[in-house]
Amino acid sequence: MSPRGVAIPDLRERLFAAAERVVARDGAAALTSRAVTAEADCAKGVLHTHFAGLDEFVAELVLDRFARSARQAEALQARVGQATVAENLQEVVLDLLDSLPPAVVGLAMTRPAAASRTREGFASGAPAFDAIQHAVTAYLQAEQRGGRLPADADASAIALALVGTTHHLLMTRSPGQGESTETTTRRLLAVLLAC
């Protein structure tokens, strides 16, 4: 998405991880390019050397984390027939929730220019919830073929409900409040998979 691009992938990830730490520790209002570069132990101007500004940086961070989550969901195919279906799905959901901390998701939503750039990225084909839903559906269908999920189970509807709930948790959860996401997803999967 960035016309400038980032020449060193490790630097890009280092900046992204630093931004996540700043937001988790100090809140979204504390996220500045200086805070990110200080946290990443980089030169002050390095963020602006590789990104057009903080909004583009935030959008790229969110797009990167969604892409990583989509890859994790696609890895479900390698788990067909292993562990239990519920355990495999729960692992993907928890990985997704870890990949997209609420503070980072909220950050992208509260910065209009970042939100717009993120939507442009999704419109251009960057993986989003639909890619994750497709991967979960394909996994469930493979488990159906293997006999570990009833043949009459609606794999698409299960995937939609699971990914939709995950989206809801991403947008509304507050760490340390209410039921843990692990407990919530375990309860949800028990209902969805009791076909």
Side-chain angles (χ1 to χ4, degrees):
M1 184 173 161
S2 170
R4 298 175 189 209
V6 175
I8 307 167
D10 290 345
L11 176 61
R12 177 183 170 95
E13 178 54 34
R14 199 162 125 199
L15 291 170
F16 287 165
E20 289 173 325
R21 289 191 304 271
V22 168
V23 172
R25 183 183 61 236
D26 304 324
L31 190 74
T32 64
S33 58
R34 281 184 186 230
V36 171
T37 55
E39 182 72 23
D41 197 25
C42 295
K44 289 180 183 172
V46 76
L47 188 142
H48 292 283
T49 301
H50 298 291
F51 297 93
L54 191 58
D55 287 320
E56 181 182 86
F57 172 77
V58 168
E60 289 288 333
L61 167 59
V62 172
L63 292 170
D64 179 84
R65 293 327 192 216
F66 267 105
R68 184 168 67 181
S69 297
R71 287 190 301 275
Q72 290 168 333
E74 288 166 5
L76 273 170
Q77 286 300 321
R79 302 205 55 180
V80 172
Q82 299 175 18
T84 68
V85 173
E87 288 168 343
N88 292 335
L89 291 173
Q90 181 158 13
E91 185 176 323
V92 166
V93 169
L94 295 177
D95 284 347
L96 174 60
L97 293 171
D98 285 344
S99 294
L100 293 163
V104 172
V105 173
L107 179 67
M109 306 319 303
T110 59
R111 298 182 66 90
S116 176
R117 284 180 178 273
T118 303
R119 281 192 300 275
E120 288 170 13
F122 290 148
S124 298
F129 282 109
D130 56 342
I132 296 165
Q133 182 181 335
H134 176 74
V136 171
T137 300
Y139 165 74
L140 290 170
Q141 290 169 339
E143 292 287 19
Q144 279 180 307
R145 289 189 295 276
R148 295 190 346 134
L149 191 66
D152 63 346
D154 188 337
S156 296
I158 292 169
L160 175 61
L162 183 61
V163 173
T165 301
T166 303
H167 179 267
H168 171 75
L169 291 172
L170 278 170
M171 302 308 288
T172 61
R173 71 187 167 131
S174 296
Q177 294 183 353
E179 186 176 76
S180 74
T181 53
E182 187 172 342
T183 301
T184 301
T185 55
R186 189 180 308 116
R187 289 176 52 230
L188 175 66
L189 287 165
V191 171
L192 293 176
L193 299 176
C195 339

